[in-house]
Amino acid sequence: MGIKWNEILITGDPLIVGSQIAIVMTVIAIVGGLTYFKKWGWLWREWLTTVDHKKIGIMYILSGVLMFFRGGIDGLLMKAQTARPEMNFLDAQHYNEIFTTHGVIMILFMAMPFLIGLMNVVVPLQIGARDVAFPQLNALSFWLFFSGAMLFNISFVVGGSPDAGWTSYFPLAGKEFSPGVGNNYYAIALQIAGLGTLMTGINFIVTILKMRTKGMTLMKMPMFTWTTLITSIIIVAAFPIFTVALALMTFDRLYGTHFFTLSSGGSDMLWANLFWLWGHPEVYIVVLPAFGIFSEVIATFSRKSLYGYKSMVISIVGIALLSMLVWVHHFFTMGAGPAVNSVFSITTMLIAVPTGVKIFNWLFTMRKGRIKFTTAMLWSLGFIPNFVIGGVTGVMLGMAAADYQYHNTLFLVAHFHYVLIPGVVFAVFAGLYYWWPKMFGFMLNEKLGKYHFWLFNIGFNVTFMPMFFLGLQGAVRRAYTYSAESGFAPLFLVSAIGSIILALGFAVFCYNIYWSFRYAKRNVSSDPWDARTLEWATASPVQFYNFAVLPEVKELDAFWHMKKRNSGLVLKEEEIEEIHMPSNSGLPFYMAVVFGITGFFLVFEWHIAAAVAAIGIVIGLIIRSFDYDDGYHVTVQEIKNIESKWRKVEGGVKHHVG
Amino acid sequence: MSANVNTSLPLEYQTEQSRLNILGFWIFLGAEIVLFSTLFAVYGVLGERYAHGPTPNDIFKLKDVMIETLLLLTSSFTCGLAVFEMRRHRLKGLLTWLIVTLLLGFGFLFMEINEFIHYVHEGATMQTSAFLSSFFILLGTHGAHVTFGIFWAVMIIIQLIQRGLTPVTARKTFIISLYWHFLDVVWIFIFTFVYLKGMVG
C-alpha cells in the first residue's frame, strides 16, 4: 500500500502542534475521569446504546455545541488573520484550510445536529408518540453522523485539512491540483455523515405520517412538526444527489475516473451543478426547522395561536418546491447565458414571497398579544430584523445582472451569514432556552440568557455588517490578506472586534449551561412557560415512555385547550396499560466505529485495509438481519410509580391557563 | 412498536411495525430513485464525451445485453410469483421461486461481470474517458445493488427456513421483493437510455 508514515501526523505548525497536545490531554482527561468515577458502564448503558429519541436528541445537541466551538475557533482565526493588512498570523495554505473546515463544520456538523437534535427531542412528543418509527435506525443515524463528523475533524492533525472551500469546486478539488489527503476527508467523511442524515429523513417522514396520536390530523400538527416533515422530505429528495456527487468525487480522486476533470472529457461544471442541486435545498433543510422553532416560541410567548396557520403550511411547502429550482443562482457568473440566468433569477426571487408571508404571520401573531420577553422570545424577536437584512440582500444577489458585481465578494459572505445566523443559530438558541426544561428538568438562567442574547446579537452585527461594505468596495472572499493601500483595514478591524463580542456571547451561553446545571432550581413544573403543544403535557424531564396514556387531540394547540377546558389532564389509573418499548442496542455504535475505520483507511487510500474493515460493516448488517429482539414491556405498576412521582409534586400538572 | 395485530390484512401488513417498515422502505426507494436519476443525469451529460476512446458502437454487444435483460426481467417475474405463493401461505413455493429468482439474478450478474471484463480487455476502462467513467459507475451502482440484493435475500431465505412464515419474515420477504422489482425498473432505463440509445440513436 506504500504507506508514508511520516506524512500522517501534521507537524511543524505551532497552532496545530498545540491542538494535538490539547486533543491528547482531553482524551486522557475523559478516559481518566470515566475510569476514576467508574462511569464506563453508565456511559454504555445510558448513552452509547440508547435508542431513546430524547437521549439521541441530547447527544446531537451536545455534538452541535462541540462543533460550534471548533467552527467558531476557525472563524476567530480567520478574523484574527484579516484584522490588519498583510498579517502573517496564518499563511495562505492554512487560511484555505480554515475557511474550508469552518464552512463544512458550521453547516453540516453544527447547524444540522442542533436542529436534528431538537427534532428528535420534540417531534415525537408533539405528536403524542412513544418514540420515532425506527428507534434503532435513529441511533444509527446519530452514530453515522458522529462518525463522519469525527473523521472530518481529525483531518487537521492527521494528514491535513481539505482546502478547496466548503463547495470543493473542481478542478481545484481534484487530484491534479489538490494531491494531499485533505479533500479525501471531505469526500468520505461527508458521505458517512450524509448516510445518517438520509436515514433521519426517512425516519421522521414515517414517524409523522403514521404515528400521530388519536385526533391529530395533519392540519392540527404543531408548526415545528410541519416544518420537520417538510424538511425530512427535502432531505430524502436532496441528499442522494450529494451521495452521488461525493461518490463521483471519490472515484475521481481515488480511482482516476473523469467525471469532473479537465482532461478526457470530464466536466468541472457538473460538480458545481450537482453540489448546488443538493446545496441549495440544504439551506432550507436547516432553515425550515428553525422557522418551526420560531413559530412555537412566538405563539407561546405572545399567548396567541399562530396567525395564518394554513398560509404557514402552504409557505413551507412552496419554499420546499422552490428550493429545488434555484440552484444555478450560486454560479450566475459561470457563463450559463442570459436565458438560463433569467429563469433562475426569477425562481430565486419567488422564494421571497412565501418567506415574506411567514414574516408577516409572525408579526401578526405578536399583534395584540401579551408578549412575554423571555430569552427564547428575545432570540425570536432579534431574528426578524436581522433575517430581513439577510433576505433583502439575497434578493439583491438574486438579480443575475447585478450579481456580477457582488459575486465572490464579502458582500455574499455577509449575506449568507445574515441568513444563517439569525435564521438558524438564533432559532437553535431560542429552541434550547425554550425546550431545555423539557430535556433536563431545569431551566437555563434567564438573566445570563439575556447577556448571551445581547452580546451575541451585537457581536454578530458588528462582525458582519462591515463585510457588506467591504464587499461593495471590492474585497474578495477567501483571500487571506489584503494590502494597506486597499483602504479595507478599518472595516476589517471593526469586524474582528465584533467577532470577539460574538465569541463572548457564546462563552456566556456555555457558562449558563454550567451555572444552571449546578445551581438552577430543580423540580420545574411540566409546563413552565404555559405553553400550547403536547410536549408540555408530560413530565420534565420526560419519562422514557413519554406518555403514560397517549393523549387525544381535538384541535390545534391541543394542550392549551386541554388546560382551558381542564380535560384530559388527569391520569385515570384504570386507563394505564402495559407499554411496549424497544431494547437498547450496541449495534449502531459498532457500525459507527467500523464505518469510521473504513473511512479513515479510504482517506489514506489504503485499499486493502479498507476492504478488510468493510467486512466489519457487512458483519454488522448480518447481525441486524438476524436480530429478532422485540423489545420489552413496562408494567402497569412501574408506570404508576413513575407517574405519581411527578404528578404529585406541587405544580406537577397545570389545570389552567395563565 | 405495539403488537397491534390485524389478521384481516396480508401477513406482511399485519403488525403495526411491519406497516411502518414497509412505508419506510417505499420512502427509501424514493431516495434510490433520486440517486439513480442523478447517475442517469451524469450519464446524460458525459455519455457522448469519448475523449478519442471507444464509442458505444465499438464495444457494446447487443446479444449479451439482451440475455442479461431477459434474465433480470424473468427474475422479477419469478419474484412476483414468490410473493404470490407467500400470500397463499405456501412456504415451499415461496422458497422455490425465491431461489429461482436469485439464480436468475446471479446469472445476470455473471453476464454483466463478464461484459465488464471484456470491455477492460478491449482497453475501455473507467479511466479512459468521461463516457466510460459514467457508464461504469451507473451500471456498477446497479450491479452492486443486485449483488447486495442477492446476499440480503440469502439471509432472508435462511430466516424463512429457520422460522417459517411469520408476520416478520413475510414483511422482510415483501420488502426485498419491492427492492428487486425496483432494480428491474432501473435496468429497463439502463437498457433503453444506455444500450439502445448508444447503439441505435
Side-chain angles (χ1 to χ4, degrees):
Chain A
M1 288 184 282
I3 300 171
K4 294 173 190 136
W5 295 105
N6 57 331
E7 285 178 19
I8 292 173
L9 220 56
I10 300 291
T11 50
D13 187 316
L15 273 175
I16 291 178
V17 174
S19 312
Q20 284 164 336
I21 294 168
I23 290 169
V24 171
M25 302 279 271
T26 313
V27 170
I28 292 172
I30 292 172
V31 172
L34 284 168
T35 313
Y36 182 77
F37 292 107
K38 298 196 172 70
K39 288 286 187 188
W40 284 104
W42 166 82
L43 184 70
W44 178 256
R45 280 188 308 275
E46 296 289 320
W47 296 97
L48 301 188
T49 61
T50 187
V51 294
D52 182 337
H53 68 97
K54 301 174 289 293
K55 285 183 176 170
I56 291 171
I58 288 168
M59 290 195 288
Y60 267 118
I61 290 166
L62 282 178
S63 315
V65 174
L66 198 68
M67 290 295 105
F68 204 134
F69 259 111
R70 166 70 205 272
I73 297 284
D74 284 346
L76 287 175
L77 288 174
M78 282 191 277
K79 282 291 152 200
Q81 165 63 23
T82 54
R84 306 297 306 141
E86 284 161 60
M87 285 262 282
N88 288 316
F89 175 55
L90 301 173
D91 59 30
Q93 173 61 24
H94 202 165
Y95 192 81
N96 290 349
E97 293 177 3
I98 283 178
F99 72 65
T100 302
T101 53
H102 172 77
V104 172
I105 287 172
M106 284 304 203
I107 295 276
L108 289 160
F109 300 138
M110 186 280 285
M112 293 284 282
F114 264 135
L115 293 166
I116 292 179
L118 287 171
M119 278 155 61
N120 259 291
V121 172
V122 176
V123 167
L125 293 169
Q126 280 197 333
I127 62 172
R130 294 238 153 81
D131 207 318
V132 293
F134 313 116
Q136 192 170 327
L137 188 73
N138 199 23
L140 181 64
S141 287
F142 169 74
W143 285 110
L144 286 182
F145 147 76
F146 191 74
S147 181
M150 289 301 110
L151 186 61
F152 189 85
N153 267 278
I154 60 166
S155 65
F156 82 111
V157 288
V158 186
S161 288
D163 57 357
W166 91 280
T167 50
S168 277
Y169 276 168
F170 279 78
L172 177 60
K175 198 80 170 171
E176 199 181 349
F177 299 101
S178 299
V181 298
N183 286 285
N184 293 352
Y185 271 113
Y186 178 95
I188 290 158
L190 297 195
Q191 187 72 285
I192 295 172
L195 285 175
T197 309
L198 178 64
M199 292 174 199
T200 300
I202 295 172
N203 213 336
F204 275 87
I205 293 176
V206 178
T207 305
I208 295 170
L209 288 182
K210 299 280 276 189
M211 294 178 70
R212 279 167 287 131
T213 192
K214 201 175 166 193
M216 186 177 278
T217 56
L218 284 174
M219 292 309 274
K220 286 175 190 158
M221 294 197 307
M223 191 47 60
F224 183 58
T225 302
W226 254 114
T227 55
T228 301
L229 175 65
I230 301 300
T231 301
S232 303
I233 293 171
I234 308 179
I235 287 175
V236 171
F239 261 78
I241 304 173
F242 197 42
T243 304
V244 170
L246 289 172
L248 302 187
M249 177 192 242
T250 310
F251 268 85
D252 264 13
R253 291 188 55 85
L254 268 59
Y255 307 111
T257 53
H258 294 285
F259 290 103
F260 311 125
T261 57
L262 295 178
S263 57
S264 300
S267 164
D268 49 351
M269 281 307 296
L270 184 59
W271 167 265
N273 278 281
L274 290 179
F275 181 85
W276 286 114
L277 263 167
W278 159 80
H280 199 86
E282 166 67 17
V283 176
Y284 293 94
I285 290 169
V286 291
V287 94
L288 282 185
F291 286 173
I293 295 170
F294 289 131
S295 301
E296 302 292 338
V297 169
I298 289 173
T300 298
F301 295 114
S302 304
R303 325 200 48 68
K304 280 176 68 193
S305 198
L306 188 66
Y307 183 89
Y309 177 88
K310 267 187 200 161
S311 64
M312 279 298 211
V313 173
I314 295 168
S315 298
I316 51 176
V317 174
I319 290 175
L321 291 175
L322 287 170
S323 77
M324 299 280 172
L325 302 172
V326 300
W327 79 95
V328 172
H329 72 209
H330 295 273
F331 42 90
F332 276 146
T333 59
M334 288 196 193
V340 172
N341 278 359
S342 304
V343 168
F344 284 94
S345 196
I346 290 166
T347 54
T348 302
M349 288 187 211
L350 277 178
I351 288 200
V353 177
T355 314
V357 168
K358 296 180 77 68
I359 297 277
F360 282 113
N361 279 342
W362 288 315
L363 293 177
F364 278 118
T365 306
M366 286 186 263
R367 181 173 173 266
K368 290 192 175 175
R370 271 179 291 154
I371 296 175
K372 280 190 185 169
F373 288 94
T374 59
T375 307
M377 188 64 179
L378 277 184
W379 286 109
S380 310
L381 291 171
F383 150 76
I384 291 176
N386 285 317
F387 186 77
V388 167
I389 296 173
V392 170
T393 51
V395 174
M396 289 168 73
L397 284 155
M399 294 185 276
D403 185 65
Y404 277 76
Q405 194 62 33
Y406 312 128
H407 185 78
N408 220 26
T409 66
L410 291 180
F411 186 86
L412 168 77
V413 177
H415 153 70
F416 69 68
H417 282 90
Y418 263 88
V419 174
L420 287 170
I421 292 180
V424 180
V425 181
F426 281 24
V428 165
F429 286 136
L432 287 176
Y433 280 94
Y434 182 59
W435 281 305
W436 198 270
K438 200 39 66 181
M439 289 188 270
F440 298 103
F442 62 89
M443 318 252 269
L444 285 174
N445 184 288
E446 283 285 301
K447 196 173 176 194
L448 285 172
K450 279 162 191 160
Y451 281 116
H452 170 204
F453 169 75
W454 285 110
L455 282 170
F456 202 90
N457 199 353
I458 292 168
F460 158 69
N461 275 290
V462 176
T463 308
F464 292 102
M465 188 56 83
M467 290 168 79
F468 280 123
F469 298 100
L470 281 168
L472 290 177
Q473 287 169 17
V476 291
R477 69 190 290 205
R478 293 173 172 171
Y480 81 108
T481 193
Y482 52 93
S483 67
E485 294 78 40
S486 63
F488 297 154
L491 284 175
F492 263 119
L493 185 63
V494 172
S495 178
I497 292 167
S499 69
I500 295 169
I501 306 174
L502 191 68
L504 279 177
F506 184 67
V508 172
F509 173 65
C510 294
Y511 177 69
N512 196 352
I513 294 178
Y514 167 77
W515 190 92
S516 307
F517 180 73
R518 285 292 298 274
Y519 305 113
K521 191 181 99 179
R522 298 307 197 265
N523 298 327
V524 288
S525 88
S526 60
D527 178 26
W529 307 116
D530 203 359
R532 319 179 70 83
T533 43
L534 282 182
E535 72 268 32
W536 304 101
T538 190
S540 303
V542 184
Q543 60 280 45
F544 63 95
Y545 50 78
N546 293 0
F547 298 96
V549 174
L550 295 182
E552 193 180 336
V553 170
K554 294 196 179 67
E555 61 270 279
L556 188 65
D557 291 335
F559 181 53
W560 178 264
H561 290 282
M562 282 156 78
K563 285 188 287 189
K564 232 178 164 176
R565 284 198 308 265
N566 195 8
S567 71
L569 294 165
V570 183
L571 185 66
K572 296 188 191 87
E573 292 217 327
E574 68 275 10
E575 282 183 2
I576 299 176
E577 289 173 21
E578 277 199 344
I579 296 173
H580 180 230
M581 296 298 292
S583 311
N584 284 0
S585 167
L587 200 54
F589 181 72
Y590 162 81
M591 288 301 266
V593 173
V594 286
F595 261 98
I597 293 171
T598 310
F600 182 79
F601 289 152
L602 268 185
V603 164
F604 283 89
E605 303 178 27
W606 301 336
H607 299 294
I608 299 163
V612 172
I615 294 171
I617 298 175
V618 176
I619 291 171
L621 292 174
I622 292 173
I623 293 172
R624 178 60 183 147
S625 182
F626 283 89
D627 176 12
Y628 274 77
D629 186 317
D630 199 28
Y632 64 98
H633 287 86
V634 190
T635 61
V636 174
Q637 192 51 47
E638 198 183 341
I639 299 168
K640 279 183 187 165
N641 291 344
I642 294 172
E643 291 297 312
S644 64
K645 253 184 225 154
W646 71 276
R647 283 172 188 271
K648 273 179 192 153
V649 295
E650 196 189 349
V653 187
K654 274 204 182 153
H655 301 290
H656 61 278
V657 290
Chain B
M1 262 175 296
S2 65
N4 177 6
V5 180
N6 182 348
T7 47
S8 66
L9 292 167
L11 203 51
E12 68 271 18
Y13 282 103
Q14 283 186 0
T15 69
E16 179 64 28
Q17 189 64 48
S18 288
R19 292 193 285 272
L20 295 179
N21 283 25
I22 291 169
L23 176 65
F25 196 78
W26 274 109
I27 295 167
F28 171 73
L29 285 184
E32 287 273 65
I33 289 173
V34 179
L35 184 120
F36 276 104
S37 306
T38 311
L39 287 170
F40 275 108
V42 169
Y43 185 80
V45 172
L46 303 178
E48 286 172 12
R49 296 177 175 226
Y50 307 124
H52 309 296
T55 65
N57 270 316
D58 296 336
I59 53 171
F60 291 168
K61 282 192 189 154
L62 204 53
K63 188 181 141 221
D64 290 5
V65 176
M66 277 308 293
I67 297 171
E68 282 171 35
T69 306
L70 278 175
L71 286 171
L72 202 64
L73 292 193
T74 315
S75 83
S76 201
F77 177 65
T78 56
C79 184
L81 291 178
V83 171
F84 178 71
E85 289 292 310
M86 183 175 84
R87 289 267 167 87
R88 301 204 299 173
H89 294 267
R90 290 191 186 169
L91 181 60
K92 215 172 165 188
L94 164 62
L95 285 171
T96 313
W97 286 117
L98 263 186
I99 290 165
V100 172
T101 304
L102 291 195
L103 288 175
L104 289 166
F106 193 77
F108 164 83
L109 208 59
F110 179 78
M111 295 281 297
E112 188 173 48
I113 291 169
N114 265 336
E115 185 194 334
F116 283 6
I117 291 172
H118 171 73
Y119 294 158
V120 171
H121 277 298
E122 301 233 316
T125 67
M126 67 179 179
Q127 290 89 0
T128 309
S129 67
F131 152 62
L132 285 164
S133 296
S134 55
F135 169 82
F136 275 110
I137 294 297
L138 172 57
L139 271 82
T141 307
H142 177 265
H145 274 74
V146 174
T147 315
F148 180 79
I150 290 173
F151 281 108
W152 180 12
V154 170
M155 300 296 131
I156 287 165
I157 288 171
I158 296 170
Q159 289 167 41
L160 279 168
I161 293 168
Q162 282 177 340
R163 293 164 186 273
L165 261 182
T166 68
V168 176
T169 52
R171 175 243 296 167
K172 289 186 174 197
T173 313
F174 183 73
I175 285 178
I176 197 170
S177 80
L178 291 178
Y179 180 79
W180 199 263
H181 292 311
F182 169 75
L183 295 182
D184 203 48
V185 173
V186 173
W187 181 261
I188 291 170
F189 281 89
I190 290 178
F191 183 70
T192 314
F193 290 109
V194 176
Y195 288 109
L196 287 186
K197 185 174 162 285
M199 300 197 68
V200 186

